Amino acid sequence: MADQKKRLDSNVVGDFYVDGTCINCDTCRQLAPTSFEEVGDFSAVTRQPADERQMHQAYQALLACPVGSIGTEHSDTSRMKEAMASYPLHLEGGVSYCGFNSEKSFGANSFFIEHPDGNWLVDSPRYLTHLVEAFERKGGIAYIFLTHKDDVADAERYAARFGAKRIIHRADFDAAPDAEWVIEEADSIQVMPQFQVIPVPGHTAGSMALLYKEQFLFTGDHLWWDSRQQMLRAPSQLVWRKRVLLDSIQKLLDYRFEWVLAGHGDRTRLPVDEMRVQLRALVERRQPSKVPS
Ligand code: SF4
C-alpha cells in the first residue's frame, strides 16, 4: 500500500503518485508509459492519466507493482475492479501477461499459455487468489517453465496448488531443488509439439528460452525490447559469462519468432524478418570490439 507521506517530489501534482518504496523495476513504465517515467533512481508519475485508456493502464500498473509503491489520492473502486478483471491480460493466441509481478523476482513479468494439452505458466507472478481462480477457470496449470533462477518467485505454491511440473535447467537447479522436470541438455529440445526449450546460458548458467508455435519467444532476462530506443537488448551487467551470452544470442538466429516476451524489459511483436534484422543488429553491437549495448 503506497503512503502519501512518502510521495516522491518527482511526481506531478494529481491523483496518482509513486512513493519512496519504489524498487525501479520498470513494470509501471511498461504498462502505462504515458503516465510513468524513470526519474533518477525511481519511477514517477510525470503525466497524470488524461483519458479512460490511460486511467485503466494506470490502475493496471498500480496492481502489477510488486511492492505497492503506486497510490491514488482518491481510489476509484470500479476502475480498480476493471483493472483487476483485465488480468491475466490477453496478448495473442492464448498467451497472456499475468500481472501482479512479484518482489521475489524483482518485479519480473510472467506469462500464461492456454493449451489443449495443458496450460503453461512462464515464470511466476505473486501467489494471489484472483490469479489462482483465473487459472482454474482456464483449466489450471500443467507446466511451469522457469526461464532462470532469479524469476522463480511463487512457482512452488502454484505447482502445489495445480499439481504442475516445474521445469528448470540443471545449472540453475539450486533455485528450485525439488523441481519436477530438470533440463540437462545444452542443445534445444522439442519437449512437446509446439514447445521448444532453448538453453541460452549467459545471464545465468541455466538460462533458457521457450519457443511456442514458432511465434512466441519467452526470454526471461536473456533478451528484451527497448521501446525507447526501438531495439532488442541483452544484459551488460549481472552476466555469468559474456562470451557465452553472445553465443546464446546468436543461436536465436536459427529460429523464427514474432514475439519477444521478457522477464524484465518491454515485450514486442515484429514481423519474423524484422525480428531477425533486430537480432542480427544486436549480435553485431555485442561483438567484443564494440561498446556494449
Ligand atoms: S512498478 Fe512499482 S516498483 Fe516498479 S518501477 Fe513502478 S512504482 Fe517502482
Side-chain angles (χ1 to χ4, degrees):
M1 178 85 70
D3 184 349
Q4 283 219 54
K5 292 192 209 85
K6 295 181 185 161
R7 181 180 176 127
L8 294 168
D9 293 341
S10 43
N11 294 289
V12 292
V13 173
D15 196 24
F16 279 84
Y17 65 90
V18 175
D19 77 13
T21 60
C22 169
I23 59 170
N24 202 13
C25 71
D26 192 44
T27 301
C28 55
R29 306 193 293 266
Q30 293 169 32
L31 287 165
T34 48
S35 300
F36 293 86
E37 282 183 75
E38 187 175 21
V39 182
D41 293 334
F42 304 102
S43 278
V45 177
T46 52
R47 271 182 300 276
Q48 291 292 339
D51 58 27
E52 283 301 317
R53 184 165 171 270
Q54 291 175 15
M55 192 67 83
H56 183 60
Q57 289 176 339
Y59 273 101
Q60 285 178 319
L62 184 152
L63 289 171
C65 175
V67 286
S69 301
I70 301 171
T72 53
E73 290 178 6
H74 310 285
S75 181
D76 183 325
T77 311
S78 74
R79 283 198 168 107
M80 188 82 88
K81 278 186 184 161
E82 269 174 42
M84 179 76 89
S86 71
Y87 289 127
L89 191 65
H90 187 247
L91 302 173
E92 191 185 350
V95 173
S96 306
Y97 157 64
C98 296
F100 304 103
N101 296 20
S102 172
E103 187 180 8
K104 293 175 192 165
S105 58
F106 197 75
N109 297 317
S110 60
F111 301 93
F112 184 75
I113 306 169
E114 286 180 73
H115 194 275
D117 296 334
N119 299 329
W120 290 57
L121 189 61
V122 179
D123 292 328
S124 170
R126 269 173 273 159
Y127 190 85
L128 216 71
T129 304
H130 172 81
L131 282 179
V132 169
E133 289 175 354
F135 296 150
E136 209 158 38
R137 283 194 298 275
K138 291 171 187 292
I141 303 169
Y143 305 99
I144 302 177
F145 181 79
L146 298 169
T147 57
H148 67 298
K149 64 182 180 183
D150 303 332
D151 292 354
V152 169
D154 288 334
E156 188 178 358
R157 293 187 72 187
Y158 281 108
R161 173 64 182 76
F162 290 102
K165 285 189 172 134
R166 285 162 294 165
I167 305 171
I168 194 162
H169 196 277
R170 171 68 64 193
D172 276 7
F173 184 62
D174 55 337
D178 50 356
E180 293 75 13
W181 188 346
V182 180
I183 302 292
E184 309 280 355
E185 290 80 356
D187 296 327
S188 307
I189 40 169
Q190 190 86 41
V191 287
M192 53 188 72
Q194 300 186 312
F195 290 90
Q196 195 159 6
V197 169
I198 309 172
V200 285
H203 167 57
T204 65
S207 288
M208 300 188 291
L210 177 69
L211 180 61
Y212 174 52
K213 282 185 175 170
E214 294 197 317
Q215 188 181 3
F216 303 91
L217 187 73
F218 300 90
T219 55
D221 292 352
H222 177 61
L223 196 70
W224 64 89
W225 182 248
D226 180 337
S227 49
R228 186 171 290 191
Q229 299 290 327
Q230 293 288 293
M231 59 169 66
L232 287 174
R233 284 195 184 275
S236 307
Q237 297 170 330
L238 303 175
V239 174
W240 168 65
R241 282 189 193 155
K242 282 192 176 168
R243 183 65 234 183
V244 177
L245 175 70
L246 181 56
D247 291 345
S248 293
I249 299 169
Q250 201 148 6
K251 182 199 277 189
L252 294 176
L253 284 165
D254 295 340
Y255 302 91
R256 49 173 292 135
F257 53 92
E258 297 171 12
W259 281 87
V260 165
L261 298 157
H264 291 288
D266 292 314
R267 52 181 173 262
T268 193
R269 182 190 180 190
L270 298 172
V272 170
D273 292 343
E274 204 176 316
M275 188 64 87
R276 192 158 284 147
V277 168
Q278 286 287 347
L279 200 52
R280 276 209 194 94
L282 175 61
V283 170
E284 179 60 25
R285 289 199 306 276
R286 296 301 293 252
Q287 292 303 319
S289 57
K290 304 276 170 61
V291 177
S293 64

